[in-house]
Amino acid sequence: MPSFLRRTMKAYILKAHIRQLGGELSRIGRSRNWQLKANFNQLQAIVEFIEQEHEDSWLWLAKLLRKEYKYLSHENLLQLAARLDQVTVTALMAQTDCTLAQARKVLDELEQLD
């Protein structure tokens, strides 16, 4: 995350919440850049927290983390779809930026599990 502290107001609140969710936030060497280590559930919780807080200086981070949804594994997509109520192909694609083929495959597997 480039220049995390310079781009973020009230960074101490955001850092505390990320750590509370189990994410690991650390500086990369002596640079201004930071690294976030978190699993998918933690990333999703961080994005939801940022969007609920309506802090304008945090929205860039939510956008950056949403881009990471593109790299979800099939298992992560299955877990997410299983948690959602009455998920559709379009809703899954909108929330995760997955492809149409990935969304259909996930929903077909969920229907087989029921």
Side-chain angles (χ1 to χ4, degrees):
M1 296 181 297
S3 302
F4 175 72
L5 289 179
R6 290 185 182 200
R7 296 175 71 178
T8 308
M9 302 297 292
K10 302 178 189 174
Y12 60 94
I13 295 172
L14 184 56
K15 287 179 2 183
H17 192 74
I18 289 171
R19 288 188 181 115
Q20 183 181 12
L21 291 171
E24 184 181 323
L25 187 65
S26 60
R27 266 179 71 185
I28 300 174
R30 296 181 65 192
S31 71
R32 291 182 283 160
N33 299 327
W34 290 71
Q35 180 178 21
L36 174 64
K37 294 180 183 176
N39 63 32
F40 173 71
N41 295 330
Q42 293 165 339
L43 282 179
Q44 193 173 25
I46 293 167
V47 169
E48 288 173 9
F49 171 74
I50 290 171
E51 290 173 349
Q52 289 174 358
E53 290 297 311
H54 302 293
E55 175 63 43
D56 291 336
S57 68
W58 295 355
L59 293 178
W60 70 272
L61 180 59
K63 183 178 178 181
L64 182 71
L65 293 178
R66 279 198 179 274
K67 286 182 182 178
E68 293 300 313
Y69 285 1
K70 292 180 183 177
Y71 307 109
L72 292 177
S73 68
H74 183 72
E75 291 78 25
N76 288 338
L77 287 172
L78 272 172
Q79 290 174 358
L80 177 64
R83 286 192 314 209
L84 299 173
D85 294 331
Q86 298 182 1
V87 66
T88 63
V89 171
T90 334
L92 186 60
M93 288 173 57
Q95 185 157 4
T96 63
D97 290 332
C98 67
T99 65
L100 178 64
Q102 288 174 317
R104 285 184 178 165
K105 185 176 180 181
V106 166
L107 292 181
D108 287 344
E109 287 187 31
L110 282 179
E111 287 175 1
Q112 291 175 359
L113 293 176
D114 287 346

PDB file of all heavy atoms in Angstrom, residues 20-46:
ATOM      1  N   GLN A  20      -7.279  -5.623  14.870  1.00  0.00           N
ATOM      2  CA  GLN A  20      -8.361  -6.247  15.630  1.00  0.00           C
ATOM      3  C   GLN A  20      -9.021  -7.361  14.807  1.00  0.00           C
ATOM      4  O   GLN A  20      -9.435  -8.369  15.361  1.00  0.00           O
ATOM      5  CB  GLN A  20      -9.395  -5.195  16.012  1.00  0.00           C
ATOM      6  CG  GLN A  20     -10.533  -5.706  16.856  1.00  0.00           C
ATOM      7  CD  GLN A  20     -11.538  -4.610  17.166  1.00  0.00           C
ATOM      8  OE1 GLN A  20     -11.507  -3.538  16.580  1.00  0.00           O
ATOM      9  NE2 GLN A  20     -12.422  -4.899  18.093  1.00  0.00           N
ATOM     10  N   LEU A  21      -9.105  -7.170  13.505  1.00  0.00           N
ATOM     11  CA  LEU A  21      -9.693  -8.182  12.627  1.00  0.00           C
ATOM     12  C   LEU A  21      -8.728  -9.324  12.327  1.00  0.00           C
ATOM     13  O   LEU A  21      -9.098 -10.296  11.678  1.00  0.00           O
ATOM     14  CB  LEU A  21     -10.140  -7.538  11.315  1.00  0.00           C
ATOM     15  CG  LEU A  21     -11.323  -6.589  11.434  1.00  0.00           C
ATOM     16  CD1 LEU A  21     -11.541  -5.843  10.127  1.00  0.00           C
ATOM     17  CD2 LEU A  21     -12.571  -7.354  11.828  1.00  0.00           C
ATOM     18  N   GLY A  22      -7.494  -9.214  12.763  1.00  0.00           N
ATOM     19  CA  GLY A  22      -6.526 -10.286  12.572  1.00  0.00           C
ATOM     20  C   GLY A  22      -5.571 -10.057  11.418  1.00  0.00           C
ATOM     21  O   GLY A  22      -4.740 -10.910  11.124  1.00  0.00           O
ATOM     22  N   GLY A  23      -5.684  -8.927  10.753  1.00  0.00           N
ATOM     23  CA  GLY A  23      -4.762  -8.611   9.665  1.00  0.00           C
ATOM     24  C   GLY A  23      -3.429  -8.143  10.219  1.00  0.00           C
ATOM     25  O   GLY A  23      -3.341  -7.649  11.337  1.00  0.00           O
ATOM     26  N   GLU A  24      -2.394  -8.323   9.432  1.00  0.00           N
ATOM     27  CA  GLU A  24      -1.054  -7.911   9.856  1.00  0.00           C
ATOM     28  C   GLU A  24      -0.599  -6.777   8.944  1.00  0.00           C
ATOM     29  O   GLU A  24      -0.422  -6.949   7.749  1.00  0.00           O
ATOM     30  CB  GLU A  24      -0.098  -9.093   9.757  1.00  0.00           C
ATOM     31  CG  GLU A  24       1.281  -8.795  10.249  1.00  0.00           C
ATOM     32  CD  GLU A  24       2.193 -10.002  10.105  1.00  0.00           C
ATOM     33  OE1 GLU A  24       1.721 -11.128  10.304  1.00  0.00           O
ATOM     34  OE2 GLU A  24       3.379  -9.788   9.780  1.00  0.00           O
ATOM     35  N   LEU A  25      -0.414  -5.601   9.510  1.00  0.00           N
ATOM     36  CA  LEU A  25      -0.021  -4.423   8.767  1.00  0.00           C
ATOM     37  C   LEU A  25       1.393  -4.036   9.193  1.00  0.00           C
ATOM     38  O   LEU A  25       1.647  -3.834  10.376  1.00  0.00           O
ATOM     39  CB  LEU A  25      -1.001  -3.283   9.069  1.00  0.00           C
ATOM     40  CG  LEU A  25      -0.863  -2.007   8.282  1.00  0.00           C
ATOM     41  CD1 LEU A  25      -1.155  -2.267   6.813  1.00  0.00           C
ATOM     42  CD2 LEU A  25      -1.821  -0.954   8.807  1.00  0.00           C
ATOM     43  N   SER A  26       2.306  -3.970   8.232  1.00  0.00           N
ATOM     44  CA  SER A  26       3.692  -3.654   8.573  1.00  0.00           C
ATOM     45  C   SER A  26       4.331  -2.835   7.464  1.00  0.00           C
ATOM     46  O   SER A  26       3.924  -2.910   6.306  1.00  0.00           O
ATOM     47  CB  SER A  26       4.484  -4.944   8.800  1.00  0.00           C
ATOM     48  OG  SER A  26       4.470  -5.732   7.635  1.00  0.00           O
ATOM     49  N   ARG A  27       5.317  -2.050   7.858  1.00  0.00           N
ATOM     50  CA  ARG A  27       6.066  -1.264   6.879  1.00  0.00           C
ATOM     51  C   ARG A  27       7.014  -2.156   6.103  1.00  0.00           C
ATOM     52  O   ARG A  27       7.535  -3.134   6.625  1.00  0.00           O
ATOM     53  CB  ARG A  27       6.892  -0.191   7.581  1.00  0.00           C
ATOM     54  CG  ARG A  27       6.168   1.118   7.661  1.00  0.00           C
ATOM     55  CD  ARG A  27       6.940   2.164   8.367  1.00  0.00           C
ATOM     56  NE  ARG A  27       8.085   2.617   7.573  1.00  0.00           N
ATOM     57  CZ  ARG A  27       8.976   3.471   8.027  1.00  0.00           C
ATOM     58  NH1 ARG A  27       8.877   3.947   9.239  1.00  0.00           N
ATOM     59  NH2 ARG A  27       9.968   3.862   7.275  1.00  0.00           N
ATOM     60  N   ILE A  28       7.264  -1.784   4.866  1.00  0.00           N
ATOM     61  CA  ILE A  28       8.225  -2.508   4.048  1.00  0.00           C
ATOM     62  C   ILE A  28       9.561  -1.792   4.188  1.00  0.00           C
ATOM     63  O   ILE A  28       9.761  -0.715   3.626  1.00  0.00           O
ATOM     64  CB  ILE A  28       7.784  -2.544   2.573  1.00  0.00           C
ATOM     65  CG1 ILE A  28       6.426  -3.242   2.446  1.00  0.00           C
ATOM     66  CG2 ILE A  28       8.830  -3.237   1.719  1.00  0.00           C
ATOM     67  CD1 ILE A  28       5.838  -3.190   1.057  1.00  0.00           C
ATOM     68  N   GLY A  29      10.428  -2.380   4.968  1.00  0.00           N
ATOM     69  CA  GLY A  29      11.743  -1.775   5.203  1.00  0.00           C
ATOM     70  C   GLY A  29      11.619  -0.395   5.821  1.00  0.00           C
ATOM     71  O   GLY A  29      10.868  -0.190   6.751  1.00  0.00           O
ATOM     72  N   ARG A  30      12.358   0.557   5.272  1.00  0.00           N
ATOM     73  CA  ARG A  30      12.317   1.925   5.787  1.00  0.00           C
ATOM     74  C   ARG A  30      11.547   2.843   4.843  1.00  0.00           C
ATOM     75  O   ARG A  30      11.598   4.055   4.968  1.00  0.00           O
ATOM     76  CB  ARG A  30      13.740   2.436   5.961  1.00  0.00           C
ATOM     77  CG  ARG A  30      14.501   1.630   7.007  1.00  0.00           C
ATOM     78  CD  ARG A  30      15.887   2.148   7.187  1.00  0.00           C
ATOM     79  NE  ARG A  30      15.840   3.503   7.747  1.00  0.00           N
ATOM     80  CZ  ARG A  30      16.876   4.312   7.814  1.00  0.00           C
ATOM     81  NH1 ARG A  30      18.041   3.915   7.347  1.00  0.00           N
ATOM     82  NH2 ARG A  30      16.771   5.501   8.326  1.00  0.00           N
ATOM     83  N   SER A  31      10.818   2.260   3.924  1.00  0.00           N
ATOM     84  CA  SER A  31      10.089   3.055   2.937  1.00  0.00           C
ATOM     85  C   SER A  31       8.774   3.584   3.521  1.00  0.00           C
ATOM     86  O   SER A  31       8.392   3.256   4.637  1.00  0.00           O
ATOM     87  CB  SER A  31       9.797   2.213   1.693  1.00  0.00           C
ATOM     88  OG  SER A  31       8.814   1.249   1.980  1.00  0.00           O
ATOM     89  N   ARG A  32       8.058   4.357   2.705  1.00  0.00           N
ATOM     90  CA  ARG A  32       6.746   4.861   3.106  1.00  0.00           C
ATOM     91  C   ARG A  32       5.658   3.851   2.814  1.00  0.00           C
ATOM     92  O   ARG A  32       4.504   4.065   3.151  1.00  0.00           O
ATOM     93  CB  ARG A  32       6.430   6.151   2.337  1.00  0.00           C
ATOM     94  CG  ARG A  32       7.281   7.312   2.738  1.00  0.00           C
ATOM     95  CD  ARG A  32       6.866   8.535   1.980  1.00  0.00           C
ATOM     96  NE  ARG A  32       7.395   8.444   0.614  1.00  0.00           N
ATOM     97  CZ  ARG A  32       6.934   9.110  -0.409  1.00  0.00           C
ATOM     98  NH1 ARG A  32       5.913   9.921  -0.264  1.00  0.00           N
ATOM     99  NH2 ARG A  32       7.458   8.974  -1.600  1.00  0.00           N
ATOM    100  N   ASN A  33       6.001   2.755   2.178  1.00  0.00           N
ATOM    101  CA  ASN A  33       5.017   1.766   1.766  1.00  0.00           C
ATOM    102  C   ASN A  33       4.749   0.745   2.865  1.00  0.00           C
ATOM    103  O   ASN A  33       5.628   0.417   3.655  1.00  0.00           O
ATOM    104  CB  ASN A  33       5.489   1.060   0.499  1.00  0.00           C
ATOM    105  CG  ASN A  33       5.671   2.029  -0.644  1.00  0.00           C
ATOM    106  OD1 ASN A  33       4.946   3.007  -0.750  1.00  0.00           O
ATOM    107  ND2 ASN A  33       6.658   1.777  -1.482  1.00  0.00           N
ATOM    108  N   TRP A  34       3.523   0.242   2.865  1.00  0.00           N
ATOM    109  CA  TRP A  34       3.079  -0.706   3.870  1.00  0.00           C
ATOM    110  C   TRP A  34       2.587  -1.974   3.190  1.00  0.00           C
ATOM    111  O   TRP A  34       2.194  -1.962   2.033  1.00  0.00           O
ATOM    112  CB  TRP A  34       1.953  -0.103   4.700  1.00  0.00           C
ATOM    113  CG  TRP A  34       2.422   0.989   5.600  1.00  0.00           C
ATOM    114  CD1 TRP A  34       2.839   2.236   5.236  1.00  0.00           C
ATOM    115  CD2 TRP A  34       2.539   0.935   7.007  1.00  0.00           C
ATOM    116  NE1 TRP A  34       3.206   2.954   6.330  1.00  0.00           N
ATOM    117  CE2 TRP A  34       3.022   2.193   7.439  1.00  0.00           C
ATOM    118  CE3 TRP A  34       2.275  -0.030   7.960  1.00  0.00           C
ATOM    119  CZ2 TRP A  34       3.250   2.483   8.775  1.00  0.00           C
ATOM    120  CZ3 TRP A  34       2.485   0.265   9.293  1.00  0.00           C
ATOM    121  CH2 TRP A  34       2.979   1.509   9.688  1.00  0.00           C
ATOM    122  N   GLN A  35       2.587  -3.062   3.952  1.00  0.00           N
ATOM    123  CA  GLN A  35       2.131  -4.345   3.448  1.00  0.00           C
ATOM    124  C   GLN A  35       1.049  -4.872   4.375  1.00  0.00           C
ATOM    125  O   GLN A  35       1.187  -4.824   5.602  1.00  0.00           O
ATOM    126  CB  GLN A  35       3.304  -5.323   3.406  1.00  0.00           C
ATOM    127  CG  GLN A  35       2.949  -6.678   2.900  1.00  0.00           C
ATOM    128  CD  GLN A  35       4.167  -7.577   2.838  1.00  0.00           C
ATOM    129  OE1 GLN A  35       5.174  -7.330   3.511  1.00  0.00           O
ATOM    130  NE2 GLN A  35       4.091  -8.617   2.048  1.00  0.00           N
ATOM    131  N   LEU A  36      -0.037  -5.373   3.785  1.00  0.00           N
ATOM    132  CA  LEU A  36      -1.136  -5.944   4.556  1.00  0.00           C
ATOM    133  C   LEU A  36      -1.200  -7.432   4.270  1.00  0.00           C
ATOM    134  O   LEU A  36      -1.276  -7.844   3.110  1.00  0.00           O
ATOM    135  CB  LEU A  36      -2.463  -5.286   4.165  1.00  0.00           C
ATOM    136  CG  LEU A  36      -3.720  -5.882   4.781  1.00  0.00           C
ATOM    137  CD1 LEU A  36      -3.700  -5.718   6.296  1.00  0.00           C
ATOM    138  CD2 LEU A  36      -4.957  -5.234   4.190  1.00  0.00           C
ATOM    139  N   LYS A  37      -1.162  -8.228   5.323  1.00  0.00           N
ATOM    140  CA  LYS A  37      -1.316  -9.673   5.187  1.00  0.00           C
ATOM    141  C   LYS A  37      -2.632 -10.043   5.854  1.00  0.00           C
ATOM    142  O   LYS A  37      -2.810  -9.831   7.062  1.00  0.00           O
ATOM    143  CB  LYS A  37      -0.164 -10.415   5.864  1.00  0.00           C
ATOM    144  CG  LYS A  37       1.171 -10.197   5.197  1.00  0.00           C
ATOM    145  CD  LYS A  37       2.254 -10.959   5.902  1.00  0.00           C
ATOM    146  CE  LYS A  37       3.605 -10.666   5.268  1.00  0.00           C
ATOM    147  NZ  LYS A  37       4.696 -11.326   5.994  1.00  0.00           N
ATOM    148  N   ALA A  38      -3.556 -10.567   5.041  1.00  0.00           N
ATOM    149  CA  ALA A  38      -4.872 -10.927   5.555  1.00  0.00           C
ATOM    150  C   ALA A  38      -5.489 -11.971   4.636  1.00  0.00           C
ATOM    151  O   ALA A  38      -5.190 -12.020   3.451  1.00  0.00           O
ATOM    152  CB  ALA A  38      -5.764  -9.695   5.625  1.00  0.00           C
ATOM    153  N   ASN A  39      -6.382 -12.779   5.203  1.00  0.00           N
ATOM    154  CA  ASN A  39      -7.101 -13.729   4.358  1.00  0.00           C
ATOM    155  C   ASN A  39      -8.323 -13.031   3.756  1.00  0.00           C
ATOM    156  O   ASN A  39      -8.581 -11.860   4.026  1.00  0.00           O
ATOM    157  CB  ASN A  39      -7.489 -14.986   5.155  1.00  0.00           C
ATOM    158  CG  ASN A  39      -8.430 -14.689   6.299  1.00  0.00           C
ATOM    159  OD1 ASN A  39      -9.254 -13.787   6.258  1.00  0.00           O
ATOM    160  ND2 ASN A  39      -8.309 -15.480   7.363  1.00  0.00           N
ATOM    161  N   PHE A  40      -9.064 -13.755   2.945  1.00  0.00           N
ATOM    162  CA  PHE A  40     -10.182 -13.142   2.236  1.00  0.00           C
ATOM    163  C   PHE A  40     -11.236 -12.581   3.189  1.00  0.00           C
ATOM    164  O   PHE A  40     -11.739 -11.478   2.997  1.00  0.00           O
ATOM    165  CB  PHE A  40     -10.827 -14.143   1.274  1.00  0.00           C
ATOM    166  CG  PHE A  40     -12.075 -13.605   0.655  1.00  0.00           C
ATOM    167  CD1 PHE A  40     -12.011 -12.592  -0.285  1.00  0.00           C
ATOM    168  CD2 PHE A  40     -13.314 -14.083   1.033  1.00  0.00           C
ATOM    169  CE1 PHE A  40     -13.163 -12.079  -0.854  1.00  0.00           C
ATOM    170  CE2 PHE A  40     -14.462 -13.574   0.472  1.00  0.00           C
ATOM    171  CZ  PHE A  40     -14.387 -12.568  -0.477  1.00  0.00           C
ATOM    172  N   ASN A  41     -11.580 -13.338   4.228  1.00  0.00           N
ATOM    173  CA  ASN A  41     -12.599 -12.871   5.169  1.00  0.00           C
ATOM    174  C   ASN A  41     -12.165 -11.584   5.857  1.00  0.00           C
ATOM    175  O   ASN A  41     -12.971 -10.678   6.088  1.00  0.00           O
ATOM    176  CB  ASN A  41     -12.913 -13.953   6.212  1.00  0.00           C
ATOM    177  CG  ASN A  41     -13.536 -15.175   5.582  1.00  0.00           C
ATOM    178  OD1 ASN A  41     -14.216 -15.076   4.565  1.00  0.00           O
ATOM    179  ND2 ASN A  41     -13.282 -16.330   6.163  1.00  0.00           N
ATOM    180  N   GLN A  42     -10.901 -11.500   6.195  1.00  0.00           N
ATOM    181  CA  GLN A  42     -10.385 -10.288   6.829  1.00  0.00           C
ATOM    182  C   GLN A  42     -10.393  -9.119   5.854  1.00  0.00           C
ATOM    183  O   GLN A  42     -10.754  -8.003   6.228  1.00  0.00           O
ATOM    184  CB  GLN A  42      -8.971 -10.543   7.354  1.00  0.00           C
ATOM    185  CG  GLN A  42      -8.934 -11.523   8.498  1.00  0.00           C
ATOM    186  CD  GLN A  42      -7.548 -12.045   8.788  1.00  0.00           C
ATOM    187  OE1 GLN A  42      -6.654 -11.993   7.935  1.00  0.00           O
ATOM    188  NE2 GLN A  42      -7.349 -12.569   9.987  1.00  0.00           N
ATOM    189  N   LEU A  43     -10.019  -9.360   4.595  1.00  0.00           N
ATOM    190  CA  LEU A  43     -10.071  -8.300   3.583  1.00  0.00           C
ATOM    191  C   LEU A  43     -11.493  -7.777   3.419  1.00  0.00           C
ATOM    192  O   LEU A  43     -11.713  -6.569   3.361  1.00  0.00           O
ATOM    193  CB  LEU A  43      -9.579  -8.819   2.229  1.00  0.00           C
ATOM    194  CG  LEU A  43      -8.090  -8.966   2.014  1.00  0.00           C
ATOM    195  CD1 LEU A  43      -7.821  -9.520   0.625  1.00  0.00           C
ATOM    196  CD2 LEU A  43      -7.376  -7.660   2.207  1.00  0.00           C
ATOM    197  N   GLN A  44     -12.434  -8.688   3.368  1.00  0.00           N
ATOM    198  CA  GLN A  44     -13.827  -8.292   3.197  1.00  0.00           C
ATOM    199  C   GLN A  44     -14.306  -7.490   4.403  1.00  0.00           C
ATOM    200  O   GLN A  44     -14.999  -6.485   4.253  1.00  0.00           O
ATOM    201  CB  GLN A  44     -14.686  -9.532   2.993  1.00  0.00           C
ATOM    202  CG  GLN A  44     -16.068  -9.215   2.505  1.00  0.00           C
ATOM    203  CD  GLN A  44     -16.836 -10.464   2.149  1.00  0.00           C
ATOM    204  OE1 GLN A  44     -16.564 -11.546   2.667  1.00  0.00           O
ATOM    205  NE2 GLN A  44     -17.800 -10.319   1.281  1.00  0.00           N
ATOM    206  N   ALA A  45     -13.929  -7.890   5.595  1.00  0.00           N
ATOM    207  CA  ALA A  45     -14.325  -7.162   6.799  1.00  0.00           C
ATOM    208  C   ALA A  45     -13.697  -5.767   6.834  1.00  0.00           C
ATOM    209  O   ALA A  45     -14.340  -4.794   7.243  1.00  0.00           O
ATOM    210  CB  ALA A  45     -13.927  -7.952   8.042  1.00  0.00           C
ATOM    211  N   ILE A  46     -12.462  -5.648   6.386  1.00  0.00           N
ATOM    212  CA  ILE A  46     -11.791  -4.348   6.346  1.00  0.00           C
ATOM    213  C   ILE A  46     -12.499  -3.418   5.356  1.00  0.00           C
ATOM    214  O   ILE A  46     -12.754  -2.250   5.664  1.00  0.00           O
ATOM    215  CB  ILE A  46     -10.293  -4.512   5.992  1.00  0.00           C
ATOM    216  CG1 ILE A  46      -9.554  -5.232   7.119  1.00  0.00           C
ATOM    217  CG2 ILE A  46      -9.649  -3.170   5.695  1.00  0.00           C
ATOM    218  CD1 ILE A  46      -8.172  -5.712   6.748  1.00  0.00           C
TER     219      ILE A  46
END
